[in-house]
Amino acid sequence: MIAQYQEVTSQHPDQKGELTAALQPLPAPSAVSLSPGCSCLTAPMAVALILGWWLVAASRAQQLPRPSLSLHPSQGVSLANNVTLRCHLPRLAAWVWLYQEEGWSYNKGKEKEQDAAEFSFVSTLREHAGRYQCQYRVSWSEEASEKSDPVELVLIDRSFPPPGISLHPEQCVEMGTNITIRCRNKDYGATFLLHKDGSSDPLQCQDSSGGGTATFTLFGVTPADSGTYRCSYRPRGYPFISSPLGDSVTLEVTPTPAAPGAAGSSHGNLVVAVVGGCTAAFVFILVLIVFFLLAARRRRTQRDESPGAPPKKPEAMEFQVPSSDSEGLTYLELQAVTPSTQPPSPPAAPQPSVIYAEVAVRGRH
């Protein structure tokens, strides 16, 4: 009824009295006596209605996507400068809220054609620094969405002197070296932050160890760690107020040089690998040749010993006797036949055996 009242009064101001009269409270109804049985039924019904309303509200809240919040500019905002916090809406909304953690809240009505709502501080103050979230509502009849992820508005107070910085070892170092970066101020009891040019967020943060100094260590640096480094600090009690960035130091990381003789060693290893490969190939080819020769000899032997194969020609055996004992001896030339393991073949036509003998007699007959 309140929303309807606002809409009507804005369009018909002269009817405000009539609408006000129509909104007068009605007379209180007369008391109605309930039996004990009815009073017992109303309590469970009331609990069920409350539980159902809560479930409906929770389901509506879950259906609304969460918004996101961003800063413009995102960093480097000084006191008295302007900054804009933009709430990005996944759905067209009628109302948007901006909340500061442990601080104020701001709300804004907006046109439904826009997909973002902006909250600007024209001249920032220290109390504007902090952590913010935003939330939206599609209409008054629906529940609000969940709050966005928080963003931090850090303001630079240039009344604080910038910190000093030192690097050890200095400038150019080899890969794998441990680097120490020391930040210092006038012992404000602050939290120091280490920055690298090109990175939006601080690399490390550390409370001062006494004497207004903090030591940061980069272990086993690589070429990716090369760059320009600076320090800043936030005074104790002011977590969102920062000093300006201090002086810079430059770190250059070079690849580790090759050990002496490493090139010659690698060349020698390559030669050994090539020679070894050629030797292995030669031995393999030689083994193949021997294998094929043995296989061919075996096949030839099996073919010679197979049934029906023509018998081998007998080999001639020669016997020689020394010339000193040659008198009164007869020399014969006989044929030697190697016995065969094959079964005997059918006898061929009989042929007379011929034995040739050469008889020589020296001396008397």
Side-chain angles (χ1 to χ4, degrees), residues 337-354:
V337 178
T338 303
S340 175
T341 58
Q342 301 297 330
S345 57
Q351 296 180 358
S353 301
V354 179

Side-chain angles (χ1 to χ4, degrees), residues 190-278:
T191 299
F192 285 89
L193 295 94
L194 180 64
H195 305 264
K196 181 182 179 183
D197 288 2
S199 178
S200 58
D201 298 325
L203 299 181
Q204 300 181 33
C205 63
Q206 186 180 128
D207 292 335
S208 59
S209 58
T213 62
T215 302
F216 300 94
T217 303
L218 305 179
F219 296 96
V221 294
T222 65
D225 296 314
S226 300
T228 302
Y229 292 84
R230 306 172 191 267
C231 294
S232 68
Y233 62 90
R234 299 180 185 180
R236 186 170 300 167
Y238 297 92
F240 301 105
I241 300 296
S242 174
S243 72
L245 291 174
D247 295 334
S248 63
V249 292
T250 301
L251 173 63
E252 182 180 355
V253 181
T254 59
T256 304
S265 176
S266 61
H267 178 71
N269 294 336
L270 178 61
V271 172
V272 170
V274 171
V275 172
C278 294

Side-chain angles (χ1 to χ4, degrees), residues 305 311-317 335-342:
E305 295 179 355
K312 292 183 178 180
K313 182 179 179 180
E315 299 179 356
M317 302 288 292
Q335 300 290 337
V337 178
T338 303
S340 175
T341 58
Q342 301 297 330

Side-chain angles (χ1 to χ4, degrees), residues 117-352:
E118 293 184 351
F119 300 86
S120 297
F121 298 109
V122 177
S123 180
T124 54
L125 305 175
R126 283 197 174 191
E127 53 264 28
H128 291 151
R131 187 177 287 112
Y132 288 85
Q133 292 176 287
C134 70
Q135 187 181 34
Y136 70 96
R137 187 196 298 267
V138 175
S139 65
W140 285 108
S141 61
E142 296 187 14
E143 295 296 323
S145 69
E146 296 183 11
K147 291 182 180 179
S148 66
D149 293 331
V151 297
E152 294 182 353
L153 174 58
V154 179
L155 298 177
I156 298 174
D157 189 347
R158 300 192 179 277
S159 64
F160 294 110
I165 189 172
S166 61
L167 176 68
H168 181 78
E170 295 182 356
Q171 297 183 351
C172 187
V173 297
E174 296 181 358
M175 284 181 55
T177 307
N178 295 336
I179 299 299
T180 300
I181 300 177
R182 183 172 287 109
C183 303
R184 61 187 181 276
N185 65 1
K186 295 182 178 180
D187 195 11
Y188 285 101
T191 299
F192 285 89
L193 295 94
L194 180 64
H195 305 264
K196 181 182 179 183
D197 288 2
S199 178
S200 58
D201 298 325
L203 299 181
Q204 300 181 33
C205 63
Q206 186 180 128
D207 292 335
S208 59
S209 58
T213 62
T215 302
F216 300 94
T217 303
L218 305 179
F219 296 96
V221 294
T222 65
D225 296 314
S226 300
T228 302
Y229 292 84
R230 306 172 191 267
C231 294
S232 68
Y233 62 90
R234 299 180 185 180
R236 186 170 300 167
Y238 297 92
F240 301 105
I241 300 296
S242 174
S243 72
L245 291 174
D247 295 334
S248 63
V249 292
T250 301
L251 173 63
E252 182 180 355
V253 181
T254 59
T256 304
S265 176
S266 61
H267 178 71
N269 294 336
L270 178 61
V271 172
V272 170
V274 171
V275 172
C278 294
T279 303
F282 175 76
V283 171
F284 179 73
I285 294 174
L286 184 60
V287 170
L288 285 180
I289 293 174
V290 172
F291 173 77
F292 285 121
L293 290 176
L294 293 176
R297 183 176 179 181
R298 184 177 179 183
R299 285 196 300 269
R300 186 168 59 252
T301 303
Q302 292 178 353
R303 185 172 61 250
D304 293 342
E305 295 179 355
S306 61
K312 292 183 178 180
K313 182 179 179 180
E315 299 179 356
M317 302 288 292
E318 295 183 358
F319 300 92
Q320 296 181 359
V321 179
S323 59
S324 60
D325 300 333
S326 61
E327 293 184 358
L329 296 180
T330 301
Y331 297 90
L332 298 177
E333 183 177 355
L334 302 178
Q335 300 290 337
V337 178
T338 303
S340 175
T341 58
Q342 301 297 330
S345 57
Q351 296 180 358

